[in-house]
């Protein structure tokens, strides 16, 4: 991003999955801890899923923490940067435009049902040019039905472009538990509380408090996926009590922090 908050065009990354003449195909790759794939785009829609490890996907509009049990629907042409947390086992899908109509129009974090998980793994085991009269056709039909049914989850944190807000966002990502109010942040960021309030509304469409809550819950989901107990995850992201954290988590994701749905599938 330039100092003015503008992004340069993202290069197109072309893989065989981008061009094969099938409604969808699997993509399998394992990444070491801490690897990053620079900002790029693809010509096809992707369903990014990992059976192990955590994906951190950053688009020009938002950042997403995607733990096991969740997937990111990424429309064609959306520029994004991928970073890994822990050893990552990616098992993704590339969808042709006609098949992609089963999913949403925008970038979306989806809940992955046990059935969808197994279907994705099965699709990744098929050859690129699978038999259109055989097993691949049945897998595709079931996958598209499960994608259409998958609940969307608010695991995205809107990006900020103003340099003062970026300083605030970077500090909070480094320490989500930091409990400074806007008056304190104003001194550090070089802007008045009123200006910060106005900028948050303009750039994210929400208040600073709501934006910070989304950030904290996203980071908590990443901790839970690493096996951190809910009470410790709550404290690490700034919740004063496990009950308050549990209520906020349940309201956002429709499940409790201790349900196990965010745990790595080893």
């Amino acid at each position: 991003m330039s100092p003015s908050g503008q992004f340069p065009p993202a290069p197109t990354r072309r893989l065989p999955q981008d061009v094969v003449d099938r409604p969808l195909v699997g993509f399998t790759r394992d990444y070491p801890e801490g690897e990053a794939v620079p900002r790029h785009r693809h010509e096809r829609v992707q369903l990014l899923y990992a059976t192990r490890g955590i994906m951190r996907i950053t688009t020009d509009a938002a950042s997403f923490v995607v733990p096991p049990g969740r997937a990111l629907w990424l429309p064609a042409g959306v520029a994004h940067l991928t970073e890994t947390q822990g050893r990552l086992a990616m098992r993704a899908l590339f969808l042709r435009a006609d098949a992609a109509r089963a999913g949403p129009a925008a970038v979306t974090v989806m809940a992955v049902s046990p059935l969808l998980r197994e279907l994705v793994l099965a699709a990744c085991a098929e050859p690129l040019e699978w038999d259109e009269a055989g097993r691949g056709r049945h897998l595709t039909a079931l996958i598209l039905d499960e994608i259409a049914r998958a609940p969307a989850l608010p695991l995205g944190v809107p990006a900020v472009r103003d340099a003062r807000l970026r300083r605030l966002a970077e500090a909070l990502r480094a320490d989500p538990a930091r409990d400074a109010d806007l008056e304190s942040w104003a001194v550090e960021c070089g802007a008045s509380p009123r200006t910060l309030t106005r900028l948050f509304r303009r750039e994210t469409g929400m208040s600073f408090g709501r934006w910070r809550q989304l950030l904290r819950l996203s980071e908590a989901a990443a901790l839970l996926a690493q096996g951190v107990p809910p009470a410790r995850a709550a404290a690490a992201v700034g919740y004063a009590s496990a009950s308050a954290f549990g209520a906020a988590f349940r309201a956002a994701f429709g499940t409790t922090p201790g349900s196990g749905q965010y745990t790595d599938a080893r």
Side-chain angles (χ1 to χ4, degrees), residues 82-170:
T82 303
E83 297 172 285
T84 68
Q85 186 173 336
R87 293 173 57 199
L88 184 74
M90 182 179 284
R91 305 293 182 263
L93 300 176
F94 282 64
L95 292 91
R96 204 169 59 194
D98 54 331
R101 287 195 288 269
V107 181
T108 304
V109 177
M110 296 178 168
V112 175
S113 67
L115 176 57
L116 180 55
R117 178 186 186 278
E118 295 305 318
L119 289 168
V120 169
L121 296 182
C124 286
E126 290 286 306
L128 279 179
E129 295 185 346
W130 43 262
D131 181 3
E132 293 185 273
R135 181 172 180 258
R137 178 170 64 89
H138 301 297
L139 289 174
T140 296
L142 285 170
I143 287 170
L144 296 182
D145 188 59
E146 283 296 293
I147 286 173
R149 295 167 180 262
L153 297 170
L155 273 172
V157 181
V160 292
R161 299 193 178 191
D162 182 271
R164 293 160 292 186
L165 294 189
R166 294 209 305 267
R167 285 196 291 272
L168 188 160
E170 289 164 7

Side-chain angles (χ1 to χ4, degrees), residues 159-169 171-172 178 180-212:
V160 292
R161 299 193 178 191
D162 182 271
R164 293 160 292 186
L165 294 189
R166 294 209 305 267
R167 285 196 291 272
L168 188 160
L172 267 179
R178 185 171 173 180
D181 56 20
L182 271 182
E183 284 72 20
S184 301
W185 284 114
V187 174
E188 187 168 330
C189 296
S192 69
R194 174 182 285 187
T195 296
L196 292 180
T197 297
R198 175 176 54 80
L199 288 172
F200 261 104
R201 286 287 183 188
R202 187 182 74 188
E203 296 200 4
T204 71
M206 62 184 65
S207 68
F208 166 67
R210 175 59 178 158
W211 183 91
R212 180 169 60 183

